Each structure stands twice: as structure tokens, then as C-alpha cells.
């Protein structure tokens, strides 16, 4: 993480993700008193003191969702479905969904013990990083990328073989729901995720052709986090997706990024009195949710029409001095160059 002292010698840490902050907000604002689960979403910058490389930045942006307050595996499926459909809606192809269950405080200690003992027996074959992690965080050995460790990891005991009955049932229910939703998935016993708050379900969506570096979506259950932050035991699940990674993958697949919708109406005017009407009309249209560009300063009408054309706006309202006097405007359809005279007062309703 980025941690530093500010000018007042306060230790500041830039947030590396959104989940912990959302949980803090849930507690701080009494969301536990709302009907549960509470479903939330966020867009947020994140900061991680990483070695920058393709798709991995020190400042990045996440879009994330969290469902807090219920443990039902239906919610796990809902989160996966939402992130899956989101990527599909962008047109991204060839993505793979990996799921795993890393158990709960009941069953995980036993599994960690078995895992530690397994890796201790193979310690000479492990990379230096893994040897360090053996005592600190043995789960993370499972996602080591070093070729030397891979073979040992492939033979390692699997968490799903050590789940207690409630965790095993939960995982089975999730798989059933994913089947009903027709979302293809692979159980990946090496998937443990990089954050320490997870329990039970963990999942990732990765592009088929890439290494884990470009994981697009990551998520999972964190049933112990809210309690860790001072609340009562509150189950929760969520995911986050990296905006830059999505763009990277859209580019890789030559999928054009959707254009920002063009404004619908352009207002051209000539003279001060017309300008005042244009200001009024612009505000009235925007209040109705209609995107408007109003010509600025004293450009010639020709220049204003050229601007509307360049902006690809098909409806142009033209207000000149005669129109102001008559309380009218010309409404021009740029697609067929036809124009009609309409009452200024009727324009907001007409254009809506
Ligand atoms: P995460 O896997 O650390 O999970 O990050 C989620 C996504 O953020 C990644 O899949 C990736 O797309 C993007 N991302 C992460 N780090 C970087 C980076 N350095 N540069 C560019 N993109 C990055 C979380 O953050 C959890 N809070 C997700 C979650 C929500 N779990 C439960 N609820």
C-alpha cells in the first residue's frame, strides 16, 4: 500500500480497493438496520505500490458491487452473474470463470495445517518467496507463478476436500445456481485471491489467452470482515473489476469503445435578444434531460451551423431577431435540411 506521513505527521494510507471502505460505511451509517442484504456499488480509484507493467498500475479505477448481510449462495451466484453479464454486454469474448471455496474459520485451520505440512515436506523445491510465506500465509503458495513451484502446487491438497458440511453445502448450492444460470465455470483449487479477508467462495474472471496479470474481475465472500471492523458477525460477498483492464481487453479484441452519446439539440442564435432566449431555452431543455449545445459568442450563423454539423447534432434551433419578436424559432432537421417555424414556448415539449 501507499503509506506516508502528511504535513501534520498523520500517517496516511491511500485505499488499495473499495471493499473495506464500503464495510466501514455500512457500519458508520447504520446500514445494518436496513432490510438485508444491502446491495451497494461504487466507482473508485485504487492505489497499490506495485511494480507497474501492462494492466498493472499504481493508480487504477475499480467498479465494484457488494451484497452485505446474508450468506445465501444465491447472492454469490448473483454477483458472479452480474459481473459475467456485464463483460458480455461489453462484447468481451473468451473469458473464463474460475471459482473455489476456501472454507470458513471452522474448517480452514485444519486445511492450512495439512497444506503447511505438505509444503514443509517439499520445502527444498520451493522458491524463496514461498519459503517465506510458508509460515505467514501458506494459502498464497497455491498461486505462486514460479515454474519450480507449479508442480508441487499441482499435487497440493485441495481446500474443497477439507470443507465442513455447511461450507460444502454452500459451495454445492453455488455450483447449482451457476448451472441454472448457464454460466460455464471451472473449479480452480489454486484460486485463493490476494486479499486476506476472504472466506468460502472466491472467484475470478480471466481472459482465456492471458496470464493472471490481466484478471478482469475478482471477488468473493468475506463473512468475517465486518466483525473485524467492529460490527456484529455479518456475511457479505462482492466483486470488483478494473476499468483499465477492461479497456485493455476491449482493445486486444478490437472491440470499439462505445461512443459517448452526442447531444440531441444545437441552439444557434443571432443578436443579444436571441442570445437571452437561447440561454433560457438551453436551461429548459437540460432540465428535461435533453442534451443541448448552445453556440457561444458572436459566431456567424454559417459558423454555428458548421459547428452543429461537426458535432453530428441532427436538431438545430435557430433564433434570430425576427423570431424573438414573434416569440418563435426555426427548428431545422439536419438529416433532410427541412425546417419549420415553431413557438419558442412549445419547443421543450416538442423536442422532448
Ligand atoms: P482485486 O482482485 O484485488 O480485488 O481487484 C479487483 C480488480 O481490480 C482486478 O481483477 C483488476 O481488474 C483490478 N486491479 C487490481 N489491481 C490493479 C492494478 N494494480 N492495476 C490495474 N487494475 C488492477 C479487490 O480489490 C476486491 N476488493 C474485490 C472484492 C469486492 N471482493 C469482494 N468484494
Amino acid at each position: 500500500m501507499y503509506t506516508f506521513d502528511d504535513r501534520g505527521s498523520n500517517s496516511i494510507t491511500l485505499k488499495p480497493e473499495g471493499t473495506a471502505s464500503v464495510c466501514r460505511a455500512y457500519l458508520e451509517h447504520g446500514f445494518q438496520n436496513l432490510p438485508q442484504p444491502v446491495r451497494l456499488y461504487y466507482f473508485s480509484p485504487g492505489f497499490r505500490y506495485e511494480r507497474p507493467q501492462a494492466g498493472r498500475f499504481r493508480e487504477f479505477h475499480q467498479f465494484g458491487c457488494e451484497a452485505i448481510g446474508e450468506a445465501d449462495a444465491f447472492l454469490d451466484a448473483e454477483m458472479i452473474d452480474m459481473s459475467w453479464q456485464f463483460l458480455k454486454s461489453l462484447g468481451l469474448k473468451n473469458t473464463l470463470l474460475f471459482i473455489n471455496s476456501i472454507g470458513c474459520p471452522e474448517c480452514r485451520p485444519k486445511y492450512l495445517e495439512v497444506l503447511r505440512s505438505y509444503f514443509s515436506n517439499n520445502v527444498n523445491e520451493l522458491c524463496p518467496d514461498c519459503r517465506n510465506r510458508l509460515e505467514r500465509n501458506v494459502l498464497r503458495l497455491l498461486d505462486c507463478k514460479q515454474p519450480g513451484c507449479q508442480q508441487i502446487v499441482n499435487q497440493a491438497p485441495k481446500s474443497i476436500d477439507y470443507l465442513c458440511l455447511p461450507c460444502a453445502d454452500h459451495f454445492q448450492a453455488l455450483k447449482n445456481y451457476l448451472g441454472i444460470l448457464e454460466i460455464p465455470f471451472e473449479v480452480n483449487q489454486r484460486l485463493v485471491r490476494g486479499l486476506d479477508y476472504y472466506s468460502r467462495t472466491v472467484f475470478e474472471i480471466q481472459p482465456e489467452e492471458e496470464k493472471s496479470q490481466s484478471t478482469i474481475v475478482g471477488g468473493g465472500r468475506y463473512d468475517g470482515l465486518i466483525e473485524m471492523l467492529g460490527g456484529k458477525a455479518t456475511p457479505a460477498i462482492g466483486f470488483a473489476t478494473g476499468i483499465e483492464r477492461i479497456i485493455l481487453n476491449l482493445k486486444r479484441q478490437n472491440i470499439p469503445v462505445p461512443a459517448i452519446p452526442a447531444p440531441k439539440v444545437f441552439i444557434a442564435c443571432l443578436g443579444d435578444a436571441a442570445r437571452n432566449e437561447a440561454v433560457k431555452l438551453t436551461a429548459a431543455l437540460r432540465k428535461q434531460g435533453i442534451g443541448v449545445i448552445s453556440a457561444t459568442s458572436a459566431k456567424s450563423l454559417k459558423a454555428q451551423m458548421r459547428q452543429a454539423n461537426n458535432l453530428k447534432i441532427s436538431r438545430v434551433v435557430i433564433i434570430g431577431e425576427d423570431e424573438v419578436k414573434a416569440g418563435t424559432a426555426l427548428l431545422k432537421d439536419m438529416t433532410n435540411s427541412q425546417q419549420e417555424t415553431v413557438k419558442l414556448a412549445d419547443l421543450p415539449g416538442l423536442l422532448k
Side-chain angles (χ1 to χ4, degrees):
M1 292 193 293
Y2 267 97
T3 301
F4 54 89
D5 285 349
D6 72 2
R7 292 187 202 184
S9 304
N10 305 299
S11 176
I12 302 287
T13 294
L14 302 184
K15 61 181 168 175
E17 54 112 45
T19 307
S21 308
V22 168
C23 291
R24 189 265 312 145
Y26 174 93
L27 288 171
E28 194 175 325
H29 301 293
F31 282 17
Q32 60 273 42
N33 301 321
L34 299 175
Q36 307 289 303
V38 177
R39 292 171 167 90
L40 303 165
Y41 77 91
Y42 51 91
F43 289 92
S44 171
F47 303 87
R48 298 185 186 181
Y49 199 75
E50 321 233 39
R51 194 161 55 82
Q53 48 197 297
R56 188 174 291 276
F57 306 105
R58 287 181 162 181
E59 178 179 8
F60 58 97
H61 297 80
Q62 285 187 336
F63 157 58
C65 295
E66 317 286 348
I68 306 178
E70 250 197 55
D72 198 311
F74 164 69
L75 289 173
D76 304 40
E78 186 178 87
M79 285 292 153
I80 292 175
D81 186 34
M82 201 170 4
S83 48
W84 186 257
Q85 301 308 338
F86 169 60
L87 297 184
K88 292 276 155 279
S89 74
L90 294 175
L92 275 180
K93 291 181 280 290
N94 306 330
T95 48
L96 301 174
L97 166 65
F98 296 105
I99 63 169
N100 195 15
S101 176
I102 55 170
C104 68
E106 278 298 306
C107 52
R108 199 174 325 139
K110 171 83 184 124
Y111 172 59
L112 294 183
E113 198 183 304
V114 173
L115 203 58
R116 206 170 283 121
S117 145
Y118 168 80
F119 281 121
S120 301
N121 290 337
N122 294 283
V123 72
N124 294 334
E125 261 99 339
L126 297 176
C127 72
D129 268 356
C130 282
R131 267 182 241 165
N132 277 334
R133 287 191 195 129
L134 195 53
E135 286 309 315
R136 245 183 327 119
N137 192 350
V138 67
L139 266 189
R140 292 306 305 276
L141 267 68
L142 290 174
D143 66 3
C144 178
K145 308 286 177 307
Q146 296 297 328
C149 296
Q150 305 251 331
Q151 239 181 346
I152 301 158
V153 167
N154 285 339
Q155 311 289 324
K158 301 176 182 174
S159 57
I160 47 173
D161 293 334
Y162 291 84
L163 297 179
C164 57
L165 203 56
C167 283
D169 284 349
H170 192 271
F171 194 49
Q172 187 55 49
L174 169 62
K175 290 190 286 183
N176 288 349
Y177 290 133
L178 291 177
I180 293 169
L181 292 166
E182 297 180 6
I183 299 177
F185 63 88
E186 190 181 308
V187 177
N188 181 351
Q189 55 117 354
R190 298 185 53 172
L191 183 66
V192 292
R193 310 268 303 126
L195 296 151
D196 287 341
Y197 48 58
Y198 289 111
S199 57
R200 290 191 166 172
T201 310
V202 286
F203 67 95
E204 282 187 359
I205 302 178
Q206 298 176 7
E208 203 171 62
E209 70 274 17
E210 265 299 319
K211 298 154 277 186
S212 68
Q213 199 110 295
S214 62
T215 294
I216 310 173
V217 175
R221 197 157 262 297
Y222 48 96
D223 292 346
L225 182 57
I226 297 228
E227 200 176 3
M228 201 191 289
L229 294 176
K232 62 179 175 29
T234 310
I237 170 122
F239 73 85
T241 172
I243 305 294
E244 290 83 0
R245 295 238 180 127
I246 289 177
I247 294 169
L248 186 80
N249 282 282
L250 288 174
K251 283 186 179 166
R252 269 189 195 142
Q253 296 189 13
N254 294 321
I255 299 171
V257 177
I260 296 170
K264 297 277 185 263
V265 178
F266 186 91
I267 302 178
C269 59
L270 280 177
D272 288 343
R275 169 112 291 257
N276 289 342
E277 289 301 335
V279 168
K280 212 195 301 177
L281 183 61
T282 303
L285 294 181
R286 285 184 180 153
K287 243 179 232 160
Q288 299 219 48
I290 301 172
V292 186
I293 296 284
S294 194
T296 50
S297 71
K299 280 182 195 158
S300 70
L301 187 60
K302 202 170 160 199
Q304 295 184 43
M305 298 309 280
R306 203 178 315 122
Q307 190 186 357
N309 218 12
N310 288 342
L311 290 167
K312 298 191 170 50
I313 301 179
S314 57
R315 299 280 160 162
V316 177
V317 175
I318 305 165
I319 313 174
E321 274 166 25
D322 292 347
E323 281 77 20
V324 176
K325 278 182 204 142
T328 60
L330 291 176
L331 179 59
K332 182 166 182 177
D333 184 340
M334 299 290 274
T335 54
N336 57 16
S337 289
Q338 295 207 341
Q339 59 184 43
E340 55 180 323
T341 301
V342 291
K343 281 199 185 128
L344 267 172
D346 290 349
L347 268 171
L350 202 64
L351 288 167
K352 178 86 178 161

